[in-house]
């Protein structure tokens, strides 16, 4: 009986403790705290949405804030909004992130940066076959190459800063679509997945300079552009993405700075994001031995959960195509004519209705 109790004690207590102790010494880079008060936070895409919320939050925390965006008018509106809310005056810079020379001038004028927060981005949900290659290139140029441009412009001064003992940060705002590919997101997901490769490689390059890289993975966020994006989303994209709720920009900003200040490499923003981050941890850096323990213990069950999600998504895709095919065959075989009023009786999305209407005419 004593042997049975000892075996149970070993299984429940000693092995987990040994794992935690092992991971405590194993995780790299080591934990770090990055202050933002009285430090220069430079935010791209800072004139609206998440970027503006980040600017509000940083100013309220006592940071010196600079924001960069393309539109001078929107930048002035953002500056006035931050001043009105916090009493802090932020610096604004108008530049296109695709233009390295313009970005370099803005960064040099802004002065040494302690937290480079790359929040800029464009998003169009559309099947690749229907998307113009110029639109794909635009997405990649803004979301991915724009980040290269900003980092390339800011990195030399960050490396040669006056106090190298003070940690500094480069944070890139990705997306949950940068953790898992979704129907209609081919170009967008490619640009956001690319940020992860950039971040992982860059962290190894700059860790010796006490520069710490973070990746933020927000879900759909209730921004001015979100409603406009939804108008163009394919029906299947809406079906698959419907399980993920939208967050407020202020909530994303809070999670972002909490993660930056703790030096986290991966920063999820909600419970679904935590699950995605655990499921896709892979070979990414992990500073927290406790989170590393969770990643190790949860890997198997999260893989099962991931397969369940994939089953749900592919079942939805199959059902959607079968429904579409059935209605096309019905229209062809019966040569029926439906009015728009009659179409409302069918449980169809807008694209199905357009398809049936086209065949009917």
């Amino acid at each position: 009986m004593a042997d049975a109790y000892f075996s149970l004690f070993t299984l429940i207590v000693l092995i987990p403790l040994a794992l935690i102790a092992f991971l405590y010494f194993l995780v790299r880079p080591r934990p770090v705290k990055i202050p933002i008060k009285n430090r220069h936070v430079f935010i791209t895409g800072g004139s609206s949405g998440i970027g503006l919320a980040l600017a509000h939050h940083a100013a309220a925390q006592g940071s010196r804030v600079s924001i960069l965006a393309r539109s001078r008018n929107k930048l002035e509106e953002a500056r006035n909004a931050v001043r009105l809310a916090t009493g802090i005056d932020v610096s604004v810079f108008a530049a296109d992130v695709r233009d390295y020379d313009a970005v370099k001038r803005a960064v040099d004028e802004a002065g040494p940066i302690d937290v480079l927060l790359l929040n800029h981005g464009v998003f169009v949900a559309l099947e690749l076959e229907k998307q113009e290659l110029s639109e794909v290139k635009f997405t990649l140029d803004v979301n991915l190459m724009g980040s290269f441009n900003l980092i390339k412009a800011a990195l030399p001064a960050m490396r040669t800063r006056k106090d190298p003992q003070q940690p500094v940060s480069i944070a890139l705002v990705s997306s949950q679509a940068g953790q898992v590919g979704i129907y209609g997101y081919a170009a967008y997901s490619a640009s956001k997945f690319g940020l992860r490769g950039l971040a992982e490689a860059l962290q190894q390059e700059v860790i010796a300079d006490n520069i710490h890289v973070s990746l933020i993975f927000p879900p759909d966020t209730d921004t001015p552009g979100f409603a406009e994006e939804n108008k163009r989303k394919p029906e299947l994209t809406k079906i698959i993405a419907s399980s993920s709720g939208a967050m407020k920009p202020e909530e994303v900003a809070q999670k972002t700075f909490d993660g930056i200040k703790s030096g986290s490499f991966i920063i999820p923003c909600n419970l679904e994001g935590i699950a995605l981050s655990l499921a896709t941890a892979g070979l990414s850096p992990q500073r927290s031995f406790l989170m590393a323990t969770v990643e190790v213990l949860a890997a198997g069950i999260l893989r099962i959960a991931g397969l369940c999600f994939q089953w749900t998504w592919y079942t939805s895709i199959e059902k959607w195509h079968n429904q579409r095919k059935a209605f096309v065959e019905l229209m062809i075989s019966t040569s029926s004519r439906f009015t728009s009023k009659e179409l409302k009786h069918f449980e169809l999305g807008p694209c199905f209705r357009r398809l049936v209407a086209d065949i009917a005419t």
Side-chain angles (χ1 to χ4, degrees):
M1 182 64 72
D3 288 343
Y5 280 126
F6 180 75
S7 298
L8 186 62
F9 177 76
T10 301
L11 182 64
I12 296 176
V13 179
L14 294 184
I15 292 178
L17 286 177
L19 175 63
I20 291 172
F22 172 68
L23 293 175
Y24 175 81
F25 290 102
L26 185 66
V27 294
R28 292 294 186 278
R30 301 305 293 173
V32 67
K33 295 295 181 184
I34 302 174
I36 65 168
K37 186 176 181 179
N38 298 322
R39 308 193 80 196
H40 185 197
V41 178
F42 190 101
I43 303 166
T44 65
S47 62
S48 64
I50 294 174
L52 181 56
L54 291 167
H56 274 277
H57 191 91
Q61 292 289 310
S63 302
R64 179 167 77 87
V65 180
S66 297
I67 56 176
L68 179 144
R70 282 181 296 177
S71 170
R72 172 65 65 177
N73 290 338
K74 287 186 177 180
L75 282 166
E76 291 299 335
E77 290 173 6
R79 172 154 58 186
N80 292 335
V82 175
R83 185 191 297 124
L84 185 63
T86 66
I88 304 296
D89 198 19
V90 304
S91 301
V92 297
F93 301 93
D96 188 328
V97 296
R98 296 173 296 169
D99 184 344
Y100 174 76
D101 292 333
V103 163
K104 185 70 166 66
R105 286 192 297 270
V107 167
D108 290 344
E109 185 180 344
I113 296 169
D114 298 303
V115 177
L116 178 63
L117 219 171
L118 304 179
N119 169 72
H120 61 272
V122 293
F123 168 65
V124 175
L126 195 65
E127 293 93 340
L128 181 59
E129 186 178 8
K130 298 177 183 177
Q131 201 167 18
E132 296 293 335
L133 283 176
S134 59
E135 200 168 37
V136 174
K137 185 177 185 302
F138 177 68
T139 300
L140 293 171
D141 284 347
V142 172
N143 296 359
L144 187 55
M145 283 307 302
S147 298
F148 274 98
N149 287 339
L150 263 301
I151 294 169
K152 185 80 171 173
L155 191 54
M158 295 182 79
R159 270 190 154 142
T160 58
R161 62 193 183 278
K162 290 182 180 179
D163 186 2
Q165 297 305 311
Q166 276 275 57
V168 295
S169 170
I170 297 174
L172 302 96
V173 178
S174 181
S175 163
Q176 288 183 355
Q179 295 174 291
V180 58
I182 297 294
Y183 184 101
Y185 285 17
Y188 183 69
S189 283
S191 70
K192 293 300 186 177
F193 268 84
L195 290 180
R196 181 164 189 154
L198 163 61
E200 289 187 1
L202 182 66
Q203 180 61 94
Q204 295 182 11
E205 294 180 15
V206 300
I207 188 63
D209 298 296
N210 205 10
I211 300 174
H212 306 276
V213 180
S214 294
L215 262 177
I216 302 98
F217 293 103
D220 286 340
T221 307
D222 188 12
T223 63
F226 182 57
E228 195 62 33
E229 293 162 4
N230 276 335
K231 293 178 183 177
R232 203 178 162 188
K233 276 184 181 178
E235 200 70 22
L236 264 174
T237 305
K238 294 178 182 178
I239 292 170
I240 292 172
S242 63
S243 61
S244 178
M247 289 184 71
K248 297 293 184 184
E250 295 76 17
E251 296 171 329
V252 174
Q254 179 69 56
K255 295 290 186 182
T256 295
F257 278 109
D258 287 347
I260 289 173
K261 288 190 284 188
S262 65
S264 301
F265 180 78
I266 290 178
I267 304 175
C269 295
N270 59 5
L271 286 175
E272 187 180 65
I274 292 172
L276 270 174
S277 297
L278 290 171
T280 59
L283 295 176
S284 60
Q286 177 56 266
R287 296 180 187 275
S288 168
F289 70 93
L290 292 176
M291 282 303 298
T293 303
V294 175
E295 288 170 357
V296 170
L297 296 178
I301 190 66
L302 283 171
R303 179 53 181 158
I304 295 173
L307 291 172
C308 289
F309 273 110
Q310 293 290 343
W311 179 86
T312 301
W313 295 337
Y314 278 96
T315 299
S316 296
I317 292 170
E318 182 181 5
K319 180 180 178 181
W320 188 89
H321 282 287
N322 287 339
Q323 189 182 27
R324 179 179 182 272
K325 182 179 178 182
F327 274 98
V328 170
E329 290 176 349
L330 174 65
M331 293 301 299
I332 293 174
S333 63
T334 63
S335 298
S336 299
R337 296 294 185 266
F338 294 104
T339 66
S340 58
K341 184 177 181 180
E342 289 171 327
L343 286 173
K344 291 180 181 179
H345 293 291
F346 295 108
E347 293 182 358
L348 301 174
C351 57
F352 277 162
R353 292 178 186 147
R354 286 195 300 270
L355 173 67
V356 177
D358 289 343
I359 294 173
T361 54

